[in-house]
Amino acid sequence: MNLHAIRAIYLFEMHRTWRTIMQSIISPVISTSLYFVVFGSAIGGRIPEINGVSYGAFIVPGLVMLSLLTQSISNASFGIYFPKFTGTIYELLSAPVSYFEIVVAYVGAAASKSIILGVIILATAALFVPMRIEHPFVMVLFLVLTAVTFSLFGFIIGIWADGFEKLQLVPLMIVTPLTFLGGSFYSIDMLPPFWRTVTLFNPVVYLISGFRWSFYSVSDVHIGTSLGMTAVFLVVCILIVRWMFKTGYRLKS
Amino acid sequence: MMVGSLISFPRDVTTENSVRTGLMSSAISVSNLHKTYDSGFEALKNINLDIHHGEIFALLGPNGAGKTTLISTICGIVNPTSGTILADGHDIQKEYRAARTKIGLVPQELTTDAFETVWNTVSFSRGLFGKSSNPAHIEKILKELSLWDKKDNKIITLSGGMKRRVMIAKALSHEPEILFLDEPTAGVDVELRRDMWNVVRALRESGVTIILTTHYIEEAEQMADRIGVINKGEIILVEEKSELMRSLGKKQLRLQLQEERKAVPEALAKYGLELTPTGCELIYSYDAHKDKTGIASLLKDLDKAGIGFNDIQTKQSSLEEIFVNLVRERK
Ligand SMILES: Nc1ncnc2c1ncn2[C@@H]1O[C@H](COP(=O)(O)OP(=O)(O)OP(=O)(O)O)[C@@H](O)[C@H]1O
Ligand SMILES: [Mg+2]
């Protein structure tokens, strides 16, 4: 195991975050906080409680998930896309590092950043809305699992992308809509039966539902199902990354 | 390598290849290497090449010959289509860790991080290659490459020549035993080029094997122990430099004429003389290794024809000329 390499890549990536702290931490925190101000304090008071949770508090888990997903994907996809774009990837490819080590370092760094971000957003939310965390252990588990899974997903996108548009495409066109429609702002029980069924094909529903359960013990789907679906997605991502590295897909000619 | 060292040092027996080739193990050993790019272009055609420990090997060839492809394949950046490559006896695919640890690469393209400092990027490379941090070593490299006063500068603020040096520093950061320099002196001024040669020589002194490509033939001529010529994906020649110079080296005899002439005199046609455009100089090319160089009779015939000269000079043909001739012959 080349621990020096994992450490070098991890620190390099974390260093990049501090260098771009405005864009990687501060701006997502501010934009998410706006939701808390608007929906939590301003109009939240006029919306009835959902399952006994005030609306401001109800949307917190979904919004944290939204940041966690988009930031994990963009951190990890940029992290690996950029060396490809500038050509510095030559060094990674010629170094005595295994694919596993590369993934651990890049995905680890991207996930770390999103977890830090998630915690900051939670702390900020607590300033605006009354919230509680009933199952802290499950909350942390979901936070970490989601950050890792979607960093891995971002890593895949970063390898797949051969231009900046593609890099933006998936987060913008797929992930954000899925998150908004995944029950960030409502309980899927509030939907007509047909749309409820359609929504169950949206993987983000399981994440948000499970995450919200760890806060308020209320969920759209069973917590076990949520965990299971997240684990399945994680395994799929691992398999794709393995295949990419084995074949040198878009990394080696 | 000496036989004694094999017996006294227990070697890693699991690495079958290093045992098989152990006795006369080469720094790099390429056999039957083919590379066809996805586009269908065959960039390397059955390359067989051995680089000896501790030598400076210059790989020459025209643009698009396959030099970078060969180096990239050895370093793990390009997948070989078929064939075997051993680095110090380790298969670059099956034992990539052992193989790559020994290799440092300075690629042809200037590609560095833009926003990192020189010190950070060089230290990063060392870590990436699995070495624990060693500030003293990094300091030494940066000083040798005259980068020390730039160590805290962001790379984006450096000039092209300095970036090239940063890339060399990165490659040296992990103390490689085998160093690839893909056109290290392209776009580099004379002074820096001389500095680099000194660094390369010092590395060779310390036992590092060096493989370089260059379009400056005089560089190969001055630096290399052996020279390989690659053209259209094929190695067409590998030779000791001195041997190459001797066996292929034509010599020239240049005669400074007393009077300008418009053409080569008829009487001297059989010598295949060349008249310089100014008409002041006659050039006679001959093979210095033949028994009869023809110089004596040429001088006699000149005398007979009444052509006088002020000065006479002989010159070994440069590697460049040899190389151009070789490539032309193959076309
Ligand atoms: N990724 C690629 N896909 C397809 N063809 C390629 C690729 N990379 C290089 N080639 C082709 O392979 C041939 C060899 O290229 P290479 O870069 O190895 O040449 P070179 O000897 O290094 O040339 P130069 O002196 O210009 O650096 C060229 O014809 C080039 O067009
Ligand atoms: Mg090249």
Side-chain angles (χ1 to χ4, degrees), chain A residues 35-65 121-122 124-134 183-186 208 211-218:
Chain A
Y35 285 104
F36 300 138
V37 175
V38 174
F39 291 104
S41 316
I43 59 174
R46 308 197 178 176
I47 300 175
E49 291 188 343
I50 300 174
N51 299 329
V53 180
S54 79
Y55 189 69
F58 181 85
I59 61 171
V60 170
L63 286 173
V64 172
M65 273 291 162
I121 291 177
L122 271 179
T124 319
L127 299 177
F128 296 101
V129 296
M131 50 168 246
R132 55 180 196 275
I133 300 171
E134 290 179 8
S184 297
F185 296 102
Y186 51 85
I208 293 178
F211 199 49
R212 189 178 287 131
W213 180 85
S214 73
F215 283 71
Y216 312 119
S217 302
V218 298

Coordinates of all heavy atoms in Angstrom, one line a residue, chain A residues 35-65 121-122 124-134 183-186 208 211-218:
Chain A
Y35 N -32.3 29.5 1.7 CA -33.5 28.7 1.8 C -34.1 28.7 3.2 O -35.3 28.8 3.5 CB -33.2 27.2 1.4 CG -33.1 27.0 0.0 CD1 -31.8 26.8 -0.6 CD2 -34.2 27.0 -0.9 CE1 -31.7 26.6 -1.9 CE2 -34.1 26.7 -2.2 CZ -32.8 26.5 -2.8 OH -32.6 26.3 -4.1
F36 N -33.1 28.6 4.2 CA -33.6 28.5 5.6 C -34.2 29.9 6.0 O -35.3 29.9 6.7 CB -32.4 28.3 6.6 CG -31.7 27.0 6.3 CD1 -30.3 26.9 6.3 CD2 -32.5 25.8 6.0 CE1 -29.7 25.7 6.1 CE2 -31.8 24.6 5.8 CZ -30.4 24.5 5.8
V37 N -33.6 30.9 5.5 CA -34.2 32.2 5.8 C -35.6 32.4 5.2 O -36.6 32.7 5.9 CB -33.3 33.4 5.3 CG1 -33.9 34.7 5.5 CG2 -31.9 33.3 6.0
V38 N -35.7 32.0 3.9 CA -37.0 32.2 3.2 C -38.0 31.2 3.7 O -39.1 31.6 4.1 CB -36.8 32.1 1.7 CG1 -38.1 32.1 1.0 CG2 -35.9 33.2 1.2
F39 N -37.7 29.9 3.6 CA -38.7 28.9 4.0 C -38.8 28.7 5.5 O -39.9 28.3 6.0 CB -38.4 27.6 3.3 CG -38.6 27.7 1.8 CD1 -37.6 27.8 0.9 CD2 -39.9 27.7 1.3 CE1 -37.8 27.8 -0.4 CE2 -40.1 27.8 -0.1 CZ -39.1 27.8 -0.9
G40 N -37.7 28.9 6.2 CA -37.8 28.6 7.6 C -38.4 29.8 8.3 O -39.5 29.7 8.9
S41 N -37.8 30.9 8.2 CA -38.2 32.1 9.0 C -39.3 32.9 8.3 O -40.4 33.2 8.9 CB -37.0 33.0 9.3 OG -35.9 32.2 9.7
A42 N -39.2 33.2 7.0 CA -40.1 34.1 6.4 C -41.5 33.5 6.1 O -42.5 33.9 6.7 CB -39.5 34.7 5.1
I43 N -41.5 32.5 5.2 CA -42.9 32.0 4.8 C -43.1 30.7 5.5 O -44.3 30.2 5.5 CB -43.1 31.9 3.3 CG1 -42.0 31.0 2.7 CG2 -43.0 33.2 2.6 CD1 -42.2 30.7 1.2
G44 N -42.1 30.0 6.1 CA -42.3 28.7 6.7 C -43.4 28.7 7.7 O -44.1 27.8 7.9
G45 N -43.5 29.8 8.5 CA -44.5 29.9 9.5 C -45.9 29.8 9.1 O -46.8 29.4 9.8
R46 N -46.1 30.1 7.7 CA -47.5 30.0 7.2 C -47.9 28.7 6.6 O -49.0 28.5 6.2 CB -47.7 31.1 6.2 CG -47.3 32.5 6.7 CD -47.8 33.6 5.9 NE -47.4 34.8 6.5 CZ -47.6 36.0 5.9 NH1 -48.3 36.1 4.8 NH2 -47.2 37.1 6.5
I47 N -46.8 27.8 6.5 CA -47.1 26.5 5.9 C -47.3 25.6 7.1 O -46.6 25.6 8.1 CB -45.8 26.1 5.1 CG1 -45.6 27.1 3.9 CG2 -46.0 24.7 4.5 CD1 -44.3 26.8 3.1
P48 N -48.4 24.7 7.0 CA -48.6 23.8 8.1 C -47.5 22.8 8.3 O -46.7 22.5 7.4 CB -49.9 23.1 7.7 CG -50.0 23.3 6.2 CD -49.3 24.6 5.9
E49 N -47.5 22.3 9.5 CA -46.5 21.2 9.8 C -46.7 20.0 9.0 O -47.8 19.7 8.5 CB -46.6 20.8 11.3 CG -46.3 21.9 12.3 CD -46.2 21.4 13.7 OE1 -46.8 20.3 14.0 OE2 -45.6 22.1 14.6
I50 N -45.6 19.3 8.7 CA -45.7 18.0 8.0 C -45.3 16.9 9.0 O -44.2 17.0 9.5 CB -44.7 18.0 6.8 CG1 -45.1 19.1 5.8 CG2 -44.8 16.6 6.1 CD1 -44.2 19.3 4.6
N51 N -46.1 15.9 9.2 CA -45.9 14.9 10.1 C -45.4 15.4 11.5 O -44.5 14.8 12.1 CB -44.8 13.9 9.6 CG -45.3 13.2 8.3 OD1 -46.5 13.0 8.1 ND2 -44.4 12.9 7.4
G52 N -46.0 16.5 11.9 CA -45.6 17.0 13.2 C -44.3 17.8 13.3 O -43.8 18.0 14.3
V53 N -43.7 18.0 12.0 CA -42.4 18.8 12.0 C -42.7 20.1 11.3 O -43.3 20.2 10.3 CB -41.4 18.0 11.2 CG1 -40.1 18.8 11.2 CG2 -41.2 16.6 11.8
S54 N -42.2 21.2 11.9 CA -42.4 22.5 11.3 C -41.8 22.5 10.0 O -40.8 21.9 9.7 CB -41.8 23.6 12.2 OG -40.5 23.7 12.0
Y55 N -42.3 23.3 9.0 CA -41.9 23.3 7.7 C -40.4 23.7 7.6 O -39.6 23.0 6.9 CB -42.7 24.2 6.7 CG -42.4 23.9 5.3 CD1 -42.7 22.7 4.7 CD2 -41.7 24.9 4.6 CE1 -42.3 22.5 3.4 CE2 -41.3 24.6 3.2 CZ -41.7 23.4 2.6 OH -41.3 23.2 1.4
G56 N -40.0 24.7 8.3 CA -38.6 25.1 8.3 C -37.7 24.0 8.6 O -36.6 23.7 8.0
A57 N -38.0 23.2 9.7 CA -37.2 22.1 10.1 C -37.3 20.9 9.2 O -36.3 20.2 8.9 CB -37.6 21.7 11.5
F58 N -38.5 20.8 8.6 CA -38.7 19.6 7.7 C -37.8 19.7 6.5 O -37.3 18.6 6.0 CB -40.2 19.7 7.2 CG -40.5 18.5 6.3 CD1 -40.9 17.3 6.8 CD2 -40.4 18.7 4.9 CE1 -41.2 16.2 6.0 CE2 -40.8 17.6 4.0 CZ -41.1 16.4 4.6
I59 N -37.5 20.9 5.9 CA -36.7 20.9 4.7 C -35.2 20.9 5.0 O -34.4 20.7 4.0 CB -37.0 22.2 3.9 CG1 -36.6 23.5 4.7 CG2 -38.4 22.3 3.4 CD1 -36.7 24.8 3.9
V60 N -34.8 20.9 6.2 CA -33.3 20.9 6.5 C -32.6 19.7 6.0 O -31.6 19.8 5.2 CB -33.0 21.1 8.0 CG1 -31.6 20.9 8.3 CG2 -33.4 22.6 8.4
P61 N -33.1 18.5 6.3 CA -32.3 17.3 5.8 C -32.2 17.3 4.3 O -31.2 17.0 3.7 CB -33.2 16.1 6.3 CG -33.9 16.7 7.5 CD -34.2 18.1 7.1
G62 N -33.3 17.6 3.6 CA -33.3 17.6 2.1 C -32.3 18.6 1.6 O -31.6 18.3 0.6
L63 N -32.2 19.8 2.2 CA -31.3 20.8 1.7 C -29.9 20.4 2.0 O -29.0 20.7 1.1 CB -31.6 22.2 2.3 CG -32.9 22.8 1.8 CD1 -33.3 24.1 2.6 CD2 -32.7 23.2 0.3
V64 N -29.6 19.8 3.1 CA -28.3 19.4 3.4 C -27.9 18.3 2.3 O -26.8 18.3 1.8 CB -28.1 18.8 4.8 CG1 -26.8 18.1 5.0 CG2 -28.4 19.9 5.8
M65 N -28.8 17.4 2.0 CA -28.6 16.4 1.0 C -28.3 17.0 -0.3 O -27.4 16.6 -1.1 CB -29.8 15.5 0.9 CG -29.7 14.3 1.8 SD -28.4 13.2 1.4 CE -28.3 12.3 2.9
I121 N -23.4 23.5 7.1 CA -24.8 23.9 6.7 C -25.8 23.5 7.8 O -26.7 24.3 8.2 CB -25.2 23.2 5.4 CG1 -24.3 23.8 4.3 CG2 -26.6 23.4 5.1 CD1 -24.6 23.2 2.9
L122 N -25.5 22.3 8.4 CA -26.4 22.0 9.6 C -26.3 23.0 10.7 O -27.3 23.4 11.3 CB -26.0 20.6 10.1 CG -26.7 19.4 9.4 CD1 -26.1 18.1 10.0 CD2 -28.2 19.5 9.6
T124 N -25.5 26.0 10.5 CA -26.1 27.3 10.0 C -27.6 27.2 10.2 O -28.3 28.1 10.6 CB -25.7 27.6 8.6 OG1 -24.4 27.3 8.4 CG2 -26.0 29.1 8.3
A125 N -28.1 26.0 9.7 CA -29.6 25.8 9.8 C -30.1 25.9 11.2 O -31.2 26.5 11.4 CB -29.9 24.4 9.2
A126 N -29.3 25.4 12.2 CA -29.8 25.5 13.5 C -30.0 26.9 14.0 O -30.7 27.2 15.0 CB -28.8 24.7 14.4
L127 N -29.3 27.9 13.4 CA -29.5 29.3 13.7 C -30.8 29.8 13.3 O -31.4 30.7 13.9 CB -28.4 30.1 13.1 CG -26.9 29.8 13.4 CD1 -26.0 30.7 12.6 CD2 -26.7 30.0 14.9
F128 N -31.4 29.2 12.2 CA -32.6 29.8 11.7 C -33.9 29.0 12.0 O -34.9 29.6 12.1 CB -32.5 29.9 10.2 CG -31.4 30.8 9.7 CD1 -30.2 30.3 9.3 CD2 -31.6 32.2 9.7 CE1 -29.2 31.2 8.8 CE2 -30.6 33.1 9.3 CZ -29.4 32.6 8.9
V129 N -33.7 27.7 12.1 CA -34.9 26.9 12.4 C -34.7 26.0 13.6 O -33.6 25.6 13.9 CB -35.3 26.0 11.1 CG1 -35.6 26.9 9.9 CG2 -34.1 25.1 10.8
P130 N -35.9 25.7 14.3 CA -35.7 24.8 15.4 C -35.6 23.3 14.9 O -36.5 22.8 14.2 CB -37.1 25.0 16.1 CG -38.0 25.4 15.1 CD -37.3 26.1 14.0
M131 N -34.5 22.7 15.1 CA -34.4 21.3 14.6 C -33.8 20.4 15.7 O -33.2 20.9 16.6 CB -33.5 21.3 13.3 CG -32.2 22.0 13.4 SD -31.2 21.6 12.0 CE -29.9 20.7 12.8
R132 N -34.0 19.1 15.5 CA -33.4 18.2 16.4 C -32.9 17.0 15.7 O -33.3 16.7 14.5 CB -34.5 17.8 17.4 CG -35.7 17.2 16.8 CD -36.7 16.8 17.8 NE -37.7 15.9 17.2 CZ -38.8 16.4 16.5 NH1 -39.0 17.7 16.4 NH2 -39.7 15.5 15.9
I133 N -31.9 16.3 16.2 CA -31.4 15.1 15.6 C -31.6 13.9 16.5 O -31.0 13.8 17.5 CB -29.9 15.2 15.3 CG1 -29.7 16.4 14.3 CG2 -29.3 13.9 14.6 CD1 -28.2 16.8 14.1
E134 N -32.6 13.1 16.2 CA -33.0 12.0 17.1 C -32.1 10.8 17.0 O -32.0 10.0 18.0 CB -34.5 11.6 16.9 CG -35.4 12.7 17.3 CD -36.9 12.4 17.1 OE1 -37.2 11.2 16.7 OE2 -37.7 13.3 17.2
G183 N -38.3 15.0 -2.8 CA -38.9 15.2 -1.5 C -38.1 16.1 -0.6 O -38.2 16.0 0.7
S184 N -37.3 17.0 -1.1 CA -36.6 17.9 -0.3 C -37.6 18.9 0.4 O -37.4 19.2 1.5 CB -35.6 18.8 -1.1 OG -34.6 18.0 -1.7
F185 N -38.6 19.3 -0.4 CA -39.5 20.3 0.1 C -40.9 19.8 0.5 O -41.7 20.6 0.9 CB -39.7 21.4 -1.0 CG -38.4 22.1 -1.3 CD1 -37.6 21.8 -2.4 CD2 -37.9 23.1 -0.4 CE1 -36.4 22.5 -2.6 CE2 -36.7 23.7 -0.6 CZ -36.0 23.4 -1.8
Y186 N -41.1 18.5 0.3 CA -42.4 18.0 0.6 C -42.3 16.5 0.9 O -41.3 15.9 0.6 CB -43.4 18.1 -0.6 CG -42.8 17.6 -1.9 CD1 -43.0 16.2 -2.2 CD2 -42.2 18.4 -2.8 CE1 -42.4 15.8 -3.4 CE2 -41.7 18.0 -4.0 CZ -41.8 16.6 -4.3 OH -41.3 16.2 -5.4
I208 N -33.0 11.1 0.9 CA -33.6 12.2 1.7 C -34.5 11.7 2.8 O -34.4 12.1 3.9 CB -34.3 13.2 0.8 CG1 -33.3 13.9 -0.1 CG2 -35.1 14.2 1.6 CD1 -33.9 14.9 -1.1
F211 N -32.3 10.2 5.5 CA -31.7 11.2 6.3 C -32.6 12.0 7.2 O -32.3 12.3 8.3 CB -31.0 12.2 5.3 CG -29.9 13.1 5.8 CD1 -28.9 12.5 6.6 CD2 -29.9 14.4 5.6 CE1 -27.9 13.3 7.1 CE2 -28.9 15.2 6.1 CZ -27.9 14.7 6.9
R212 N -33.8 12.2 6.6 CA -34.8 12.9 7.4 C -35.3 12.1 8.6 O -35.5 12.6 9.7 CB -36.0 13.3 6.6 CG -37.0 14.2 7.3 CD -38.1 14.7 6.4 NE -37.8 15.6 5.4 CZ -38.1 15.5 4.1 NH1 -38.8 14.4 3.7 NH2 -37.7 16.4 3.3
W213 N -35.3 10.8 8.4 CA -35.7 9.9 9.5 C -34.7 10.0 10.7 O -35.1 10.0 11.8 CB -35.7 8.4 9.0 CG -36.1 7.5 10.1 CD1 -37.4 7.1 10.5 CD2 -35.2 6.8 11.0 NE1 -37.3 6.2 11.5 CE2 -36.0 6.0 11.9 CE3 -33.8 6.7 11.1 CZ2 -35.4 5.2 12.8 CZ3 -33.3 5.9 12.1 CH2 -34.1 5.1 12.9
S214 N -33.4 10.2 10.4 CA -32.4 10.3 11.4 C -32.6 11.6 12.2 O -32.2 11.7 13.4 CB -31.0 10.2 10.9 OG -30.7 11.4 10.2
F215 N -33.3 12.6 11.7 CA -33.6 13.8 12.4 C -34.9 13.7 13.2 O -34.9 14.0 14.4 CB -33.8 15.0 11.4 CG -32.5 15.5 10.9 CD1 -31.7 14.7 9.9 CD2 -31.9 16.7 11.3 CE1 -30.5 15.2 9.4 CE2 -30.7 17.2 10.8 CZ -30.0 16.4 9.8
Y216 N -36.0 13.3 12.5 CA -37.3 13.4 13.2 C -38.0 12.1 13.3 O -39.2 12.1 13.7 CB -38.2 14.4 12.4 CG -37.4 15.7 12.0 CD1 -37.3 16.1 10.7 CD2 -37.0 16.5 13.0 CE1 -36.6 17.2 10.4 CE2 -36.3 17.7 12.7 CZ -36.1 18.0 11.4 OH -35.4 19.2 11.1
S217 N -37.4 11.0 13.0 CA -38.1 9.7 13.0 C -39.3 9.6 12.1 O -40.2 8.8 12.3 CB -38.5 9.3 14.4 OG -37.4 9.3 15.3
V218 N -39.4 10.5 11.1 CA -40.5 10.4 10.1 C -39.8 10.1 8.8 O -38.8 10.7 8.4 CB -41.4 11.6 10.0 CG1 -42.1 11.8 11.4 CG2 -40.6 12.8 9.6

